[in-house]
Amino acid sequence: MATPLLALSGVSKSFGAVAALRDVRLELYSGEAHALVGENGAGKSTLVKILAGVHAPDQGTLTLDGRPVTLGNPADARAAGIAVIYQEPTLFPDLSVAENIFMGRQPLRSLRRIASAEMRARAIELCERLGVPLDPDRPARGLSIADQQIVEIAKALSLDARVLVMDEPTAALSGVEVERLFTVARSLRDSGTAVLFISHRFDEVFALCQRVTVMRDGRWVSTDPAADLSVDEVVRRMVGREVTSLFPKEPATVGEPRLEVRGLTRHGSFADVSFTVRGGEIVALAGLVGAGRSEVSRAIFGVDPYDAGQVCVDGKRLPRGDTAAAIEAGLALVPEDRRQQGLVMELSVERNATLPRRWALTRMGLLFGGAERRAAGTWAERLQVKAARLSDAVSTLSGGNQQKVVLAKWLATHPRVLIVDEPTRGIDVGTKSEVHRLLSRLAGDGVAVLMVSSELPEVLGMADRVLVMHEGRLAADIPRDRADEESVMLAATGQGGRS
Amino acid sequence: MTMLKTPPAARVGGGARLARRAFVVREMGILLALALLIGITAATNPRFLGAQSVKDLLLGSTILAILAVGQAIVIITRNVDLSVGSVLGLSAFATGSLFVAAPGLPIPLVILIGTVLGAACGAINGGLIAAARVPALVVTLGTLYVFRGVDYMWATSRQINAADMPPGFLGMGTATVLGVPVLTLFAVAVLLVVGYYLRSYRSGRELYAIGSDPAAARLLGIPVGRRVFAAFVASGALAGLAGVLYAARFGTLDANAGTGLELNVVAAVVVGGVAIFGGSGSVYGAALGAVLLTTIGAALPTLGVNPFWQRAAVGALILAAIGLDRALAARLGRSLRGRNTHV
C-alpha cells in the first residue's frame, strides 16, 4: 500500500506515574476507515488527544504524508487537516449553532469582520447535508445530545478534513442518526478522507471500517483487515480473555408489582404512558432518541413534574416532582448523562458514592470521614472500581469507572425500584458485562429494574419485557420471547401496531 | 428506514426569534425601568428634566459606563476585575501630576498616557492570572489594594486642585455639543467600538466562547490565556481612560479618587444583563446598567428618599436583575428544549 496519510510510531505518553500509552503505532490511509477498539482505559482517548494536538507525546513520531510533524496545540492539528469529534460534545452553550460550527474559523469579509450571513448560510447547508435542519441562530444550550453531536459533526465537515477522528460519536445516537452519520462518514471516506473510528459497538465497526486496530492497557495489540476478524476474536484481543456472554440475564421469579405508572403525561414530551414493573423483572424502555424515554424516567423519579397521571411504588402513590419522596419510597435513578447529572465531578470517589446516603452515615448530624470511606470502599470493591485512591476526584476516572461509581451510589441505598438510563453508554465490553451481571443479580434479589437503552442487543439480551416508545407514547409492549430486532425497530419507528 | 423531516422553513428562525426576543426583553427591561424612574421623578419634580440636571446625569453616567464596558469584557470571559477603582484613581492622580509637572502638555497625549498607564495595570492583572493560574477574583482583589497603595505613596496626602490644571483640559469636563457633554460622547464612542468589535470579530466572539465553556475553548485551540490577558488589558485601559476623564470632570484629586467604585461597576454590569459566569450579555446592556444606577442615585434624593434607602434600592435592583435573568433563562431553556425532537 502507499504511504500512510497519517502515521504514529513508537508513541508513548505518561501522566505522572501512570503510563497511558506505551509504544503505540497507528497508520491511517487516505480513503480508508480505520477502527480503534479497546476497553476503557486502553488509551484510546489519549491517542485521540495526541492526534488532536491537546497532548504532546513523550516519545515517538507522527508523520503526515511521510513528513514528521509536531502538533503543538489544537490549532496546529486543525491546520494539518485533522478534525476530531469527541465522545462528549464540546459546545459553547451560550453561542448559536452557527457560531459553534465555525468558532475560530468564521468566514470573513472586508476588514477581517465576520461574515455572519455567509456563516449562517453555510451552517444551514451543513445541517441539511446531515439531514437535520437545525436552526443556525438558536443557542446550543438545550440541544439534545444527539443534536449536539450533529453540530460536532457539522464542525468537522466544515473543515474539509483530511483526517476525521471520531471518538465514540454514536454513543448517544439512535439508529436513524447513526445511519445518517455513517452515510456522511462513508462519503468522506470515499472522497479520500482518512477516518479513525472509535466505538464499542462492533456492528458499527464492521459496517464502516476496513481495518481494525486493537489496543489493550495502553499498548498496541494488533491491526488487521476487518474482513479477517470476527467479533469474538476482537473481543478476545481486547480483554485478553474469552468473554462468555455479553448479556447474562438470569431468570428470576417475578413477584408483586413494584412500580406502577398510569396515564403519565407531560405536554410536549410524552402522553398517556402506563406500565407496570414487577419485582425481579427487568423491563427495557426502547425507542429512538427523542421518543421521550428519558423524560418519562425523570418524571417517575420526580426530577421533572408531569401534568397528569400517577406513579405508585408498592401500591403507594408518590407525590409528583418530589425526588426526596421517590428516594424515600425506594426509587433510584442512574441518569443518562453521568457527567452532568450523575456525579459531582470535582468531589472524590467516596464522597460521590455516599452522597444520597449521607444522612444514614451521620452520627449526631456530623459526617465522619471514616464512615464514608468504609461505605464507599465496600461498594468500590464489589463493583471493581479502578481508582488510584478513593479520595481522587471522580473526573480523573475513565467513563466505565465513573458509571460504576454512579451505580455504587444508588445501589448503596438498597433500592426497590432501579431506573437506569443508558447504563452502558460509552462503556467497554468488560465493564458492560459487569454492569449487566449486576442488573441481573439485582433483579434476582427482587428489585424491579426499568432500563432505558438505545442498544438493541442489550435490550433484547437483558429485558424480560420490552416497552417501545414512539413520539412520546408507548407503541408496544413486547414479551421477551417475541422481542427481536425487527419487532422493536418497527414499533420504535411507528410502523408496528400495539401488540 | 423512513425519515420524518420537518420542512426547514418551519423551524429555521424560530430559535433566533426566541433568542433575539430574550435579548430585546433584557435590554428593554432596563430602558423601561429607566423611563419609569425618570417619569416618576420628573412628575414629582419637573426640574429633574432640566438641561443642567440632564447634563449632570449624563456626566455622572459617563465614567461608570466606560468602566462598565471594560468590566463587561472581562466578565464575559468568566473573570472579574475588582481593581478598576484603584486603576482609575492612579490614572486620575497621574493626570493631575503630569499637568503640575508640565502644564503645556497636549491634552490628547495626556489622555493617551492615562490610558496606557491603565493598560499597564491591566497587563499586571492579566499576567498574574495567566502565569499563576489564580482566579481573577483573588488577583484583582490583591491588586485593588496594591494599586491603591501605590497611589497613596505617590500622593503622600497631597491634593491636586483645579487651579493646577490647564483650563482647556477642565473645559473638556464641562463642554457640550448640542447639549450633550463631550465626555459622554467619549463614552458612546468607546461603547460603539467595543460593541462592534465583540460582535463582528473572531477574537471578540472567542471571548464569549471562553466564558461559555473554557475547557471546550481550549480543545478548540482558542488561545485562552492570551485572550483573557487582552481582556484585562482592555479593562485596565478603559479604567485608565476613565481616570483621565475623572480628572477633567472633578478637577480636585487626591489618593482616594474612585475608592469603592469597583462594586458599582460590577453591579452595573450585572444589572445590565451580562451573566456573571460569562458567555452572554452585551456591553450595551452594561452601559445601560451604569446609566440606570446613576439615575437612581440622582432620582432618589429628588424624590425625598432617605439616602440610606438608596443603597438598599441598588441592592434590590441587582437582585431583581438576577431574578429576571433566571426567569428568562428558564423560559428560554424550556421553549428551546420543546422544539427539539426532529426524528
Side-chain angles (χ1 to χ4, degrees), chain A residues 54 74 78 90 92-94 99 104-106 111-114 128 132-133 135 137-138 142 144 147 180 290 471, chain B residues 2-4 8 11 13-16 196 200-202 205-206 209 212-213 217-221 279 336 340-342:
Chain A
V54 176
R78 241 173 21 195
T90 53
F92 303 110
D94 300 295
E99 285 201 280
R105 298 172 292 108
Q106 295 96 333
L111 299 172
R112 301 189 53 77
R113 288 170 298 165
I114 294 170
E128 269 171 13
V132 185
D135 179 350
D137 298 320
R138 63 157 289 165
S144 68
D147 282 349
R180 200 148 50 201
E471 292 189 346
Chain B
T2 45
M3 244 189 268
L4 298 172
R11 307 189 33 196
Y196 190 77
S200 306
Y201 282 86
R202 278 185 184 170
R205 299 315 296 168
E206 284 173 3
S212 196
D213 188 337
R218 272 192 199 92
L219 277 183
L220 208 61
L336 283 174
N340 208 353
T341 42
H342 52 75

Side-chain angles (χ1 to χ4, degrees), chain B residues 295-328:
Chain B
T295 311
I296 287 179
L300 293 187
T302 313
L303 290 172
V305 176
N306 183 327
F308 168 75
W309 288 108
Q310 277 180 46
R311 299 213 146 207
V314 171
L317 190 70
I318 294 172
L319 293 179
I322 293 168
L324 179 67
D325 282 340
R326 290 303 306 161
L328 279 176

Side-chain angles (χ1 to χ4, degrees), chain A residues 7-231:
Chain A
L8 283 106
S9 61
V11 166
S12 301
K13 174 76 190 173
S14 299
F15 297 101
V18 185
L21 292 178
R22 277 173 288 188
D23 195 22
V24 171
R25 71 183 95 158
L26 184 70
E27 292 179 347
L28 301 179
Y29 293 93
S30 171
E32 191 180 78
H34 193 121
L36 182 62
V37 296
E39 286 195 294
N40 282 344
K44 296 169 308 210
S45 294
T46 308
L47 193 67
V48 167
K49 290 207 166 144
I50 284 178
L51 290 176
V54 176
H55 295 324
D58 299 333
Q59 274 168 35
T61 54
L62 224 146
T63 59
L64 194 68
D65 290 323
R67 278 188 295 278
V69 285
T70 311
L71 304 175
N73 60 53
D76 283 357
R78 241 173 21 195
I82 302 172
V84 181
I85 297 173
Y86 292 98
Q87 189 175 353
E88 312 278 349
T90 53
L91 299 182
F92 303 110
D94 300 295
L95 302 185
S96 74
V97 166
E99 285 201 280
N100 266 292
I101 295 175
F102 290 103
M103 180 52 70
R105 298 172 292 108
Q106 295 96 333
L108 298 179
R109 57 197 169 112
S110 60
L111 299 172
R112 301 189 53 77
R113 288 170 298 165
I114 294 170
S116 317
E118 188 192 338
M119 181 168 87
R120 217 176 148 272
R122 276 171 59 186
I124 293 177
E125 189 191 316
L126 283 167
C127 289
E128 269 171 13
R129 200 164 139 202
L130 292 168
V132 185
L134 283 179
D135 179 350
D137 298 320
R138 63 157 289 165
R141 191 186 300 283
L143 281 176
S144 68
I145 291 188
D147 282 349
Q148 290 180 34
Q149 203 64 267
I150 293 293
V151 176
E152 291 286 344
I153 295 163
K155 207 150 93 176
L157 268 185
S158 73
L159 268 173
D160 288 323
R162 301 177 66 201
V163 179
L164 176 64
V165 180
M166 300 193 283
D167 188 359
E168 291 192 49
T170 60
L173 304 188
S174 69
V176 186
E177 292 154 339
V178 169
E179 208 31 65
R180 200 148 50 201
L181 170 63
F182 278 19
T183 311
V184 175
R186 280 196 195 97
S187 80
L188 282 175
R189 180 193 71 192
D190 296 342
S191 61
T193 306
V195 177
L196 181 66
F197 180 67
I198 295 166
S199 176
H200 287 304
R201 297 185 185 171
F202 296 117
D203 47 340
E204 295 173 357
V205 164
F206 285 99
L208 183 70
C209 299
Q210 284 78 59
R211 234 200 278 236
V212 181
T213 289
V214 180
M215 285 180 65
R216 185 171 69 227
D217 298 331
R219 292 178 188 277
W220 173 87
V221 174
S222 68
T223 300
D224 292 291
D228 299 351
L229 289 170
S230 66
V231 173

